[in-house]
């Protein structure tokens, strides 16, 4: 049986671009986006492969299209008191960055998508799609199947791999770091592998073998970030390529998922709050698909299969949180669903994995991680509380029915392997080198009280030996949209900040998904201001409990997280000293009124419909960052944007920046001479991707900005950063 390169909810969620103003990367309720799709981080002590070492950096690409920066220094005649120190700091930064870009680095290696099948491992090695014997996967003994350079793309990487059941073909989705467009190639496996076909703009794809032992590739076609069409194709002597399903409702998105046992291919049709699933029989894939349950507004459901039974994760019924139900595969309609397992209150279902005799649920409850192992033979349940340092799961590919492997990570700690062994009924931890961060740092879980009395969870990191935390710099993280968890994956730059004395605070505000579906519902549409109140309460609570102070407090967000950050800058700018934003969504009202944009219709369930609903329009006006800019003092702001970003159009970001500059100028004139104006920097990068998480140029620019704004020496932080980043 082919090993999946994503698991149940992850497969459905990682690839759904109808997330709109968010990145394609973490574990979500009905959508997901994580670290380079299936990438993981390995703790190694060797350098990158030869081909990757020669790979051009984002910095090199950016030199072809100059970035544009605007600063208040450009339009306000202000004498900077610390001009000399900033100049010296800048010189130190440039020296360290030069070292970073010229010296080979060690410690961490990013591993791209890989799949195990039939004794082989398929993966990307340098610029090629290759395979090697499973036991030789870490050696240089591999067979080249396809050279990605033949596609003539800039910086291509393999996003996803699927191997045909009988290993006659392998399909791989190829993307570039500066675009969301993708190409799916099909390679015929033989003594001389050859590319059999290629399909543009493929979102999801799966192999099924038909009754005549012929491999059939099912795939979805994406146009303008919308995915509505499903195709199936065969190759060799009997070539076919036909479209057999088109979704008519523009607010829905179509995604394919093959059940863990490969028995059914599921066609998942979903928007933010509603889903519908059709089954294609893996034994007769040319037969018409079978509907499980017609879409019901507000009802989400996802499907797995085992022993002629469907296991359905759904929010149907009360409470409207996810619960596990099951029914016979030949009677799939909702009236036949039997309740099988319910979650505790305030629980987020991160993922589900199905085994021969067990079902494993990966959960987040009250901001802590758990694994529930359900015995399918006797309906027994074993709940395992995971180490308190852990903040996120990384699901591992797995075809071993005896073990369930996964990784745990945190923003400052690299992933660590764990394996649950069903026979022993125990969880085994990877042994070996213990990361020193476990002794040198602390993780705290606190709560803030919002205006309406809601408890808002926070996760905080700082050095164990830090003295007088009130005088330490603080970096606050927030997202609060789409029912998505705040990203808590390992980021080397976050670890370096903690090592340098910073406090990191992650605020899990309403609108996100950390406490389940209701947590999201309480922060969307006409409850979006709850997220803003939560963020304000979190920062005030941090200050009140002795974590930093406003003059040393910074705030960061990407994509839709920019809504809450921009709103806070308008309503309570005195809480912050500086802000960094990446591809931020800042003009909610005008964007949601422009139905020509590719994602507007799909975003109505999150933000509302200001074009036809005056209540929605008036409510959006109350918090929209662009609409509420006014002459007042603002924190300094650094914005990274991408020229051809289809999710958050550059026009809205530029308009926001210009309006903000005008408001700052007006406030400066009213305040008079001696006013220390904030800096506003808009850094426009080339490319059409939405967020480039591993862009070293972006990382160094943001850290440089924060250190300069707080008047801190950045030399040591960049020296430490080179231990982790690879260029």
């Amino acid at each position: 049986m082919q090993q999946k390169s994503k698991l149940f909810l992850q497969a459905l969620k990682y690839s759904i671009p109808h997330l709109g103003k968010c990145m394609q990367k973490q574990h979500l309720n009905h959508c997901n986006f994580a670290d380079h799709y299936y990438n993981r981080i390995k703790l190694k002590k060797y350098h990158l492969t030869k081909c990757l070492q020669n790979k051009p950096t984002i910095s090199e690409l950016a030199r072809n299209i100059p970035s544009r920066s605007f600063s208040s220094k450009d339009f306000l005649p202000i004498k900077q008191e610390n001009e000399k120190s900033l100049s010296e700091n800048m010189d130190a930064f440039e020296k360290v960055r030069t070292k970073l870009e010229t010296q080979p680095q060690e410690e961490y290696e990013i591993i791209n998508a890989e799949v195990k099948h039939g004794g082989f491992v398929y993966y990307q090695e340098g610029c090629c799609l290759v395979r090697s014997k499973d036991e030789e996967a870490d050696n240089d003994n591999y067979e080249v199947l396809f050279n990605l350079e033949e596609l003539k793309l800039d910086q291509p990487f393999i996003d996803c791999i699927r191997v045909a059941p009988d290993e006659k073909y392998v399909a791989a989705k190829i993307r570039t770091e500066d675009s969301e467009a993708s190409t799916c190639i099909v390679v015929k496996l033989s003594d001389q592998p050859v590319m059999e076909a290629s399909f543009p703009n493929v979102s999801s794809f799966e192999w099924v073998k038909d009754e005549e032992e012929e491999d059939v590739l099912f795939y979805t076609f994406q146009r303008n970030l919308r995915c509505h069409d499903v195709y199936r194709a065969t190759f060799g002597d009997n070539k076919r390529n036909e479209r057999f399903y088109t979704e008519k409702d523009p607010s829905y998105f179509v995604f394919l998922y093959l059940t863990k046992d490969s028995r059914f291919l599921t066609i998942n049709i979903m928007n933010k709050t509603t889903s519908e699933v059709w089954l294609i029989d893996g034994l007769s894939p040319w037969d018409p698909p079978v509907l499980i349950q017609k879409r019901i507004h507000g009802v989400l459901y996802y499907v797995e299969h085992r022993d002629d039974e469907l296991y359905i994760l759904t929010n149907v019924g009360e409470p409207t949180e996810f619960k596990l139900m099951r029914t016979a595969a030949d009677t799939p309609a909702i009236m036949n669903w039997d309740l099988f397992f319910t979650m505790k209150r305030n629980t987020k279902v991160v993922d589900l994995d199905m085994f021969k005799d067990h079902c494993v649920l990966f959960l987040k409850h009250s901001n802590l991680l758990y694994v529930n192992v359900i015995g399918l033979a006797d309906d027994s349940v074993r709940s395992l509380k995971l180490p308190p340092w852990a903040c996120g799961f990384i699901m591992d590919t797995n075809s071993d029915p005896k073990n369930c492997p996964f990784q745990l990570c945190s923003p400052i700690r690299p992933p660590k392997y764990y394996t649950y062994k069903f026979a022993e009924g125990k969880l085994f931890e990877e042994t070996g080198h213990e990361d020193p961060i476990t002794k040198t740092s602390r993780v705290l879980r606190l709560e803030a009280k919002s205006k309406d009395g809601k408890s808002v969870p926070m996760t905080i990191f700082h050095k164990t030996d830090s003295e007088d935390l009130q005088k330490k710099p603080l970096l606050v993280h927030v997202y609060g949209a789409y029912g998505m968890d705040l990203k808590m994956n390992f980021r080397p730059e976050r670890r370096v900040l903690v090592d340098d004395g910073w406090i990191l605070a992650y605020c899990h505000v309403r609108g996100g998904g950390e406490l389940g579906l209701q947590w999201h519902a309480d922060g969307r549409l006409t409850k979006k201001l709850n997220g803003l109140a939560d963020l304000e309460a979190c920062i005030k609570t941090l200050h009140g409990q002795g974590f930093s102070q406003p003059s040393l407090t910074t705030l960061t967000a990407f994509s839709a997280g920019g809504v809450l950050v921009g709103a806070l800058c308008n309503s309570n700018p005195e809480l912050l000293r500086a802000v960094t934003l990446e591809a931020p969504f800042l003009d909610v009202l005008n964007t949601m009124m422009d139905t020509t944009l590719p994602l507007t219709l799909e975003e109505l369930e999150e933000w509302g419909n200001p074009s036809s609903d005056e209540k929605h329009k008036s409510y959006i006006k109350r918090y929209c960052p662009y609409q509420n800019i006014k002459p007042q003092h603002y924190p300094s702001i650094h914005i990274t944007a991408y020229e051809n970003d289809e999710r958050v159009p550059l026009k809205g970001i530029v308009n926001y920046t210009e309006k903000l500059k005008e408001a700052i100028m007006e406030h400066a004139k009213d305040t008079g001479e001696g006013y220390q104006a904030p800096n506003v920097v808009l850094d426009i990068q080339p490319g059409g991707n939405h967020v480039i998480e591993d862009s070293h140029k972006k990382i160094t620019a943001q850290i440089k900005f924060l250190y300069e704004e707080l008047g801190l020496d950045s030399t040591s932080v960049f020296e430490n950063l080179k231990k982790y980043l690879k260029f």
Side-chain angles (χ1 to χ4, degrees):
M1 182 179 69
Q2 178 180 338
Q3 182 179 23
K4 304 294 183 300
S5 43
K6 296 226 73 70
L7 300 182
F8 182 51
L9 288 183
Q10 277 189 292
L12 294 171
K13 300 162 187 172
Y14 267 123
S15 299
I16 300 176
H18 77 271
L19 296 179
K21 321 302 180 296
C22 56
M23 183 176 86
Q24 68 280 7
K25 295 176 176 183
Q26 181 128 13
H27 312 303
L28 325 173
N29 278 343
H30 51 282
C31 44
N32 215 328
F33 45 60
D35 324 309
H36 256 334
Y37 217 66
Y38 313 128
N39 294 359
R40 67 179 191 273
I41 299 176
K42 263 188 178 179
L43 188 58
K44 290 272 186 178
K45 278 285 186 179
Y46 53 68
H47 302 298
L48 287 174
T49 58
K50 302 180 185 68
C51 205
L52 286 180
Q53 284 177 327
N54 296 327
K55 180 178 174 182
T57 68
I58 295 295
S59 302
E60 291 170 342
L61 291 178
R63 292 186 191 118
N64 298 323
I65 304 179
S67 63
R68 283 156 273 173
S69 298
F70 307 97
S71 171
S72 61
K73 299 172 186 175
D74 298 331
F75 56 79
L76 291 174
I78 298 169
K79 182 179 179 181
Q80 297 288 345
E81 295 179 2
N82 58 343
E83 184 174 336
K84 183 178 179 181
S85 64
L86 287 181
S87 176
E88 293 172 350
N89 205 24
M90 179 65 179
D91 291 340
F93 164 76
E94 292 299 340
K95 290 177 182 178
V96 174
R97 187 170 69 175
T98 299
K99 290 182 181 179
L100 286 172
E101 292 181 342
T102 57
Q103 294 182 357
Q105 308 303 329
E106 297 183 335
E107 301 294 344
Y108 297 97
E109 181 190 48
I110 301 295
I111 306 297
N112 287 322
E114 66 176 39
V115 164
K116 295 180 181 179
H117 184 95
F120 286 94
V121 180
Y122 295 77
Y123 57 99
Q124 180 176 344
E125 178 68 29
C127 304
C128 299
L129 169 64
V130 304
R131 72 174 176 179
S132 63
K133 291 289 186 180
D134 194 354
E135 63 273 10
E136 300 174 353
D138 288 332
N139 300 327
D140 290 332
N141 185 18
Y142 53 79
E143 175 189 8
V144 175
L145 304 178
F146 181 75
N147 189 336
L148 305 186
E149 292 180 340
E150 292 184 26
L151 299 176
K152 301 188 183 304
L153 300 172
D154 289 329
Q155 293 187 287
F157 66 89
I158 297 176
D159 208 23
C160 181
I161 301 171
R162 294 288 187 268
V163 184
D166 58 2
E167 219 159 353
K168 291 180 181 177
Y169 299 96
V170 59
K173 186 167 75 169
I174 316 297
R175 288 187 51 212
T176 65
E177 292 196 1
D178 63 348
S179 172
E180 293 194 44
S182 63
T183 298
C184 180
I185 61 166
V186 177
V187 176
K188 184 176 181 179
L189 300 174
S190 59
D191 293 338
Q192 296 293 325
V194 61
M195 185 173 75
E196 183 85 6
S198 67
F199 305 105
N201 302 315
V202 169
S203 176
S204 58
F205 57 104
E206 297 285 359
W207 289 101
V208 177
K209 182 185 288 187
D210 67 11
E211 306 93 320
E212 299 178 0
E213 300 295 305
E214 189 171 35
D215 294 315
V216 185
L217 180 69
F218 287 79
Y219 66 93
T220 56
F221 178 76
Q222 181 174 309
R223 182 188 295 111
N224 295 327
L225 300 180
R226 297 174 179 174
C227 194
H228 295 150
D229 298 322
V230 184
Y231 289 77
R232 52 190 170 194
T234 56
F235 309 95
D237 296 333
N238 185 26
K239 287 187 177 181
R240 298 171 64 179
N241 187 25
E242 63 182 30
R243 182 177 63 182
F244 74 96
Y245 180 86
T246 297
E247 173 56 37
K248 303 298 184 183
D249 190 330
S251 70
Y252 281 77
F253 181 89
V254 183
F255 183 75
L256 303 177
Y257 171 72
L258 191 65
T259 58
K260 181 84 178 281
D261 60 3
S262 300
R263 181 65 175 80
F264 289 103
L265 177 69
T266 63
I267 304 175
N268 301 270
I269 305 157
M270 59 191 72
N271 65 14
K272 299 291 189 299
T273 61
T274 306
S275 63
E276 177 179 286
V277 182
W278 294 73
L279 293 180
I280 292 179
D281 193 332
L283 302 178
S284 51
W286 298 102
D287 290 351
V290 175
L291 175 64
I292 291 183
Q293 173 57 47
K294 185 178 180 180
R295 65 194 72 169
I296 302 172
H297 181 72
V299 173
L300 293 163
Y301 70 98
Y302 310 103
V303 178
E304 255 294 1
H305 176 265
R306 169 192 171 271
D307 285 354
D308 295 327
E309 286 188 315
L310 301 178
Y311 288 79
I312 302 167
L313 193 64
T314 179
N315 68 332
V316 69
E318 293 294 336
T320 55
E321 298 288 349
F322 277 125
K323 50 193 74 70
L324 190 60
M325 308 184 87
R326 63 182 172 187
T327 184
D330 57 358
T331 57
I334 193 169
M335 71 279 295
N336 300 310
W337 297 0
D338 293 325
L339 183 62
F340 179 60
F341 184 78
T342 58
M343 316 299 165
K344 292 181 180 179
R345 192 169 166 271
N346 293 335
T347 296
K348 160 72 176 283
V349 180
V350 177
D351 215 329
L352 175 152
D353 200 3
M354 187 67 67
F355 296 83
K356 181 177 183 297
D357 297 314
H358 298 86
C359 173
V360 180
L361 290 167
F362 300 88
L363 308 172
K364 181 180 289 186
H365 174 67
S366 297
N367 207 21
L368 292 171
L369 300 186
Y370 292 80
V371 168
N372 278 12
V373 181
I374 305 174
L376 299 178
D378 56 6
D379 292 349
S380 62
V381 178
R382 180 159 191 202
S383 183
L384 303 172
K385 185 177 181 179
L386 299 174
W389 65 262
C391 300
F393 292 101
I394 299 176
M395 304 309 168
D396 206 25
T397 57
N398 176 49
S399 59
D400 183 357
K402 299 179 181 179
N403 301 313
C404 178
F406 58 91
Q407 298 177 70
L408 298 177
C409 65
S410 86
I412 65 171
R413 180 168 175 168
K416 186 170 186 176
Y417 277 95
Y418 288 79
T419 301
Y420 185 84
K421 297 188 176 182
F422 298 116
E424 290 90 336
K426 294 180 180 179
L427 183 67
F428 291 84
E429 179 181 355
E430 174 190 32
T431 58
H433 172 72
E434 185 65 27
D435 196 300
I437 198 71
T438 58
K439 296 181 179 179
T440 60
S441 69
R442 293 184 65 193
V443 55
L444 303 173
R445 286 177 170 82
L446 304 179
E447 290 185 342
K449 285 290 184 183
S450 197
K451 290 179 180 178
D452 60 359
K454 276 288 185 183
S455 295
V456 184
M458 296 182 289
T459 309
I460 300 161
F461 303 89
H462 67 82
K463 286 184 71 174
T464 305
D465 59 358
S466 289
E467 297 180 359
D468 200 355
L469 290 172
Q470 194 171 20
K471 295 182 180 179
K472 298 297 183 183
L474 168 66
L475 180 59
V476 179
H477 301 70
V478 72
Y479 190 75
Y482 303 109
M484 294 174 49
D485 291 6
L486 186 57
K487 288 179 63 60
M488 301 289 283
N489 57 303
F490 173 65
R491 297 301 313 160
E493 65 273 20
R494 300 299 184 235
R495 173 166 180 158
V496 168
L497 289 177
V498 170
D499 287 340
D500 205 41
W502 284 67
I503 305 165
L504 304 184
Y506 291 76
C507 303
H508 310 292
V509 303
R510 279 174 285 185
E514 287 88 346
L515 298 184
L517 297 179
Q518 190 60 48
W519 197 247
H520 172 220
D522 287 342
R524 68 182 183 94
L525 295 176
T526 55
K527 295 183 178 180
K528 185 60 69 175
L529 283 168
N530 284 341
L532 176 59
D534 292 351
L535 176 59
E536 178 184 336
C538 286
I539 296 176
K540 289 182 177 179
T541 298
L542 289 167
H543 292 162
Q545 296 195 17
F547 294 98
S548 196
Q549 54 189 286
S551 63
L552 293 172
T553 297
T554 63
L555 180 58
T556 186
F558 68 86
S559 195
V563 173
L564 296 184
V565 173
L568 185 69
C569 289
N570 289 329
S571 63
N572 285 280
E574 69 280 357
L575 293 176
L576 306 168
R577 177 65 184 86
V579 167
T580 64
L581 296 170
E582 183 176 8
F585 187 31
L586 296 165
D587 190 359
V588 182
L589 183 62
N590 289 323
T591 300
M592 294 308 299
M593 293 187 72
D594 186 354
T595 56
T596 64
L597 295 175
L599 295 173
T600 296
L601 294 177
E602 298 182 22
E603 299 291 308
L604 298 180
E605 294 281 355
E606 180 70 25
W607 308 101
N609 189 348
S611 296
S612 62
D613 191 319
E614 279 298 321
K615 181 181 177 182
H616 286 171
K617 185 175 182 179
S618 298
Y619 191 84
I620 291 173
K621 282 183 177 180
R622 292 172 59 189
Y623 69 81
C624 175
Y626 177 77
Q627 297 293 327
N628 290 282
I629 292 174
K630 55 193 173 187
Q632 64 174 10
H633 179 74
Y634 278 88
S636 292
I637 300 178
H638 182 285
I639 301 175
T640 304
Y642 301 95
E643 281 203 325
N644 301 311
D645 190 338
E646 293 182 86
R647 298 178 184 276
V648 179
L650 181 60
K651 178 182 176 182
I653 297 176
V654 172
N655 289 344
Y656 171 87
T657 306
E658 293 299 322
K659 187 175 180 179
L660 181 62
K661 288 166 57 182
E662 292 173 1
I664 292 173
M665 290 178 66
E666 185 176 345
H667 179 65
K669 292 177 182 177
D670 294 340
T671 305
E673 189 176 350
Y675 172 64
Q676 198 76 359
N679 294 311
V680 179
V681 179
L682 174 57
D683 185 8
I684 302 176
Q685 295 294 312
N689 214 334
H690 179 48
V691 172
I692 304 178
E693 187 175 25
D694 296 317
S695 165
H696 304 119
K697 180 177 181 180
K698 176 204 71 179
I699 291 170
T700 53
Q702 289 179 344
I703 292 179
K704 177 174 86 71
F705 174 80
L706 293 178
Y707 271 75
E708 287 186 350
E709 289 301 322
L710 272 58
L712 304 174
D713 182 4
S714 63
T715 305
S716 62
V717 74
F718 284 107
E719 288 286 0
N720 291 331
L721 193 60
K722 71 180 181 181
K723 298 176 183 177
Y724 304 102
L725 294 184
K726 289 185 178 297
F727 290 82

